[in-house]
Amino acid sequence: MTLRSITVLLGSVIFSGVVIYWGFNIMFPSKPNPSRLLLAKIRGGDYAHAGDKDAFRVVLPKIVDYFKERLVEQTVLDVGCGLGGTADYLYTQGFYNIWGIDIDKGAIEYARSKYPFIDFSVWDATQVDQKFEKDFFSLLYLFNVFYALSDQQKMQTLNSLAAVAKPGALLVIFECTSPKAEDPQEIKDLTGKPMRPIVLPVFHDMIKKSKWEIIEKVDLSDQYIKWYKDLLYKLDQQKNSFTNEFPVEIINHLTTTYIAILEKLEKKTWGGIVVYAKRKPD
Ligand SMILES: C[S@@+](CC[C@H](N)C(=O)[O-])C[C@H]1O[C@@H](n2cnc3c(N)ncnc32)[C@H](O)[C@@H]1O
């Protein structure tokens, strides 16, 4: 075999692989995780964060106040956007330039088809600086996403977000907290990822080493208890109406996960918080 024929053969193998991959993705698009779809039904929106719409009532006034109502001009990044309901909610409030990223391909395909006016893509939070321009975003937020990252990834994400944030940009982190580092095997989220709530002293150290400065923190521990109680109540009330659409194992898995979270919140071994931070000048 000549070098030329080997090159041609290799080229055609790679080309066929790419065509098959594209074709497969078009014919069989990724589907969102069924637990997420069930959760969205129970929550009454495409959200997977504590408090559903009520969380916006807590957080949005602060954001609107920060931008002094010039919402339409702001460039917004929803980090770990999931099914896209949070980004859509911000859009309905007047933020028209929104990008969303998430590592879950099925969730992104769902978000893209349901909310085509928002720019969604599959991307990792720790590497947003490799996707977007420097100094691009004026608002960046994570709604119950930070818990899914290890300490090293949390730090990488803070740095990566700082790189794409304009000086003075607002970062909002809405998350559960814990006074000490969690055993990552203890509670897993619906995708099987260990939950690692924010440990405040560790988080403060990370912020100090980053280009962010905290401007306000609001404890949401009591609201988190109410929100998870409400969610479990809705799940219990509605579960029989979902048994045709979702396997009973999924309904049970959702219930046991949220009972475990509620127990931690009630024992005060977990809490909730929203942190507002500002990008320091370079
Ligand atoms: C509990 S859901 C919250 C979704 C969304 N923020 C909301 O409020 O509905 C956590 C999301 O974080 C995403 N996620 C986890 N690790 C990530 C990472 N390294 N980069 C981007 N997204 C990530 C998950 O795929 C999931 O969609």
Side-chain angles (χ1 to χ4, degrees), residues 36 39 43 45-50 52 56 78-87 101-105 107-108 121-128 141-149 153 157 174-175 189-191 193 195 228 258:
R36 285 190 160 202
L39 193 56
R43 290 184 184 279
D46 290 330
Y47 324 116
H49 59 253
D52 315 328
F56 303 132
D78 184 331
V79 183
C81 58
L83 299 177
T86 305
I101 58 130
D102 200 291
I103 44 167
D104 182 335
K105 194 164 173 246
I108 288 295
S121 37
V122 180
W123 204 264
D124 194 310
T126 57
Q127 293 172 14
V128 288
Y141 62 87
L142 300 93
F143 270 69
N144 289 139
V145 178
F146 225 53
Y147 80 81
L149 309 173
Q153 290 170 327
T157 299
F174 177 95
E175 198 48 84
D189 75 2
L190 300 177
T191 60
K193 280 199 163 193
M195 295 189 71
Y228 278 97
Y258 289 121

Side-chain angles (χ1 to χ4, degrees), residues 62-200:
K62 178 82 195 168
I63 297 178
V64 170
D65 186 49
Y66 190 82
F67 293 108
K68 302 276 175 276
E69 315 253 322
R70 298 184 325 274
L71 311 188
V72 99
E73 299 160 29
Q74 310 308 325
T75 37
V76 181
L77 181 61
D78 184 331
V79 183
C81 58
L83 299 177
T86 305
D88 175 58
Y89 189 82
L90 261 82
Y91 190 89
T92 63
Q93 303 304 302
F95 288 96
Y96 291 155
N97 302 302
I98 311 184
W99 284 256
I101 58 130
D102 200 291
I103 44 167
D104 182 335
K105 194 164 173 246
I108 288 295
E109 284 185 8
Y110 174 99
R112 269 190 193 142
S113 65
K114 191 148 172 200
Y115 309 109
F117 40 88
I118 295 168
D119 192 330
F120 291 108
S121 37
V122 180
W123 204 264
D124 194 310
T126 57
Q127 293 172 14
V128 288
D129 54 332
Q130 290 171 35
K131 178 171 177 65
F132 299 103
E133 282 169 36
K134 201 174 169 296
D135 295 353
F136 186 70
F137 291 107
S138 38
L139 168 64
L140 308 93
Y141 62 87
L142 300 93
F143 270 69
N144 289 139
V145 178
F146 225 53
Y147 80 81
L149 309 173
S150 66
D151 278 354
Q152 192 194 356
Q153 290 170 327
K154 283 182 169 76
M155 190 69 232
Q156 276 176 331
T157 299
L158 289 173
N159 289 337
S160 168
L161 296 180
V164 297
K166 296 178 184 177
L170 180 66
L171 171 68
V172 181
I173 302 181
F174 177 95
E175 198 48 84
C176 32
T177 55
S178 168
K180 60 178 177 53
E182 282 291 300
D183 170 2
Q185 301 312 317
E186 211 181 324
I187 296 195
K188 300 213 166 111
D189 75 2
L190 300 177
T191 60
K193 280 199 163 193
M195 295 189 71
R196 302 176 175 106
I198 287 180
V199 179
L200 279 173

